[in-house]
Amino acid sequence: MQSSNPVLNRSSAFAPGQGQAYPGAAPYGQPGPYQQPGQYGGPGMPPQQYQGAPADSRPMTMDDVIVRTAATLGVVTVVAAIAWKTIPTSVVTPAFLAGALVAFALAMVLSFSRRVNPVLVMLYAAAEGVFLGIGSKFIANWVGDSGIIVQAVLATLVTAGLTLATYKYFAIKVTPRFTKMVIIATMGFAGVLVLNLIASLFGFNSGISGFGPMGLLFAALGAGLAVFNLILDFDMIEQGVRHGAPQSEAWRAAFGLTVTLVWLYWNLLRILAILRGGD
């Protein structure tokens, strides 16, 4: 099963039978001497026996993913607030573009790394914070109300929470067909955005990135795709925990969630801004 998030796709540790087992454990996805097939508890040992394992070899837990995701999003938030407050108007555009390009470059490096470097994850979060801080301030000034940022953050949290609740409560099954459809749609959406960026360099304005009807349509599509990507990411993380992915993979999961949540926030912010209109 593949996630449309390239971060989670890169690691084979999120699939049964893959990854690095700690000493004495059965292969990932296989029951050990203390487990029945399908029993939760990781690769070959019951949960209580994880506590004595070395920190770099025990299986990751959901708590590992939550803590690292909170840390990564915390860096994004703090840096965004600093960028909002301190970056002078004269360098707003260069800083905005630099943040976006650095974040994109680091995201590509991390996505194709066999082992995720936590330092690079934090650098990515910082670059993303610069981008979001300046972009959020621009939109808040365009609307004429900084309260729209709080509304977008709350909308992001509520949307992500409802997505997770729906995934768990209704026991959504992520089938290969569903995964393929989301991947194709996401790649197509990203391709349109890239083409639009290239066209804008030659003076063509399609309105996709603007604040008109076309911008609203694409922001809504982007938010919808982010929700579908969250479902795939939740499923991949759940599989990683169930099949005993190594603890270090929690950083990959945290990075993947951060990418998707930032994408969701930015599109929801644009939707709110377009619906309210400029000051």
Side-chain angles (χ1 to χ4, degrees):
M1 185 72 69
Q2 295 289 313
S3 170
S4 66
N5 190 327
V7 176
L8 301 186
N9 263 341
R10 183 60 182 169
S11 176
S12 60
F14 285 83
Q18 304 295 331
Q20 302 172 354
Y22 56 81
Y28 290 132
Q30 302 297 322
Y34 301 98
Q35 289 179 285
Q36 297 299 319
Q39 178 182 353
Y40 176 79
M45 289 189 177
Q48 61 270 23
Q49 295 198 25
Y50 292 159
Q51 296 178 356
D56 62 347
S57 61
R58 71 169 177 82
M60 79 172 187
T61 65
M62 197 63 71
D63 285 345
D64 292 329
V65 176
I66 293 172
V67 169
R68 286 156 179 75
T69 302
T72 307
L73 291 175
V75 171
V76 173
T77 303
V78 170
V79 174
I82 294 174
W84 178 305
K85 293 289 186 181
T86 62
I87 294 181
T89 306
S90 58
V91 295
V92 161
T93 300
F96 178 82
L97 293 176
L101 292 175
V102 171
F104 177 77
L106 289 173
M108 291 298 99
V109 172
L110 288 164
S111 296
F112 290 97
S113 297
R114 297 300 301 180
R115 186 181 182 92
V116 169
N117 187 330
V119 175
L120 290 183
V121 174
M122 290 305 173
L123 289 175
Y124 161 80
E128 198 71 82
V130 173
F131 166 77
L132 287 183
I134 298 175
S136 298
K137 185 175 183 179
F138 170 80
I139 290 180
N141 290 337
W142 184 76
V143 173
D145 179 15
S146 59
I148 193 173
I149 304 304
V150 176
Q151 295 172 7
V153 170
L154 291 176
T156 301
L157 294 176
V158 170
T159 301
L162 289 175
T163 303
L164 177 58
T166 301
Y167 168 76
K168 297 296 291 184
Y169 182 78
F170 292 101
I172 295 177
K173 301 297 182 183
V174 179
T175 64
R177 181 178 181 182
F178 175 81
T179 303
K180 183 181 296 185
M181 290 175 61
V182 175
I183 292 175
I184 293 174
T186 302
M187 293 178 63
F189 185 84
V192 171
L193 292 181
V194 170
L195 291 176
N196 179 70
L197 175 61
I198 296 174
S200 67
L201 298 177
F202 294 94
F204 177 76
N205 182 15
S206 65
I208 289 176
S209 300
F211 294 92
M214 187 63 71
L216 177 61
L217 173 62
F218 270 78
L221 287 174
L225 284 174
V227 168
F228 287 131
N229 275 277
L230 274 178
I231 293 175
L232 298 188
D233 294 344
F234 291 152
D235 180 72
M236 291 302 296
I237 291 169
E238 189 174 55
Q239 287 188 39
V241 172
R242 182 183 299 119
H243 298 129
Q247 184 191 23
S248 60
E249 289 301 309
W251 279 109
R252 189 183 306 276
F255 174 49
L257 281 175
T258 300
V259 171
T260 307
L261 289 173
V262 165
W263 180 16
L264 178 61
Y265 162 79
W266 182 249
N267 282 287
L268 289 177
L269 178 61
R270 290 187 61 213
I271 291 173
L272 291 173
I274 294 171
L275 293 178
R276 291 184 57 172
D279 186 13

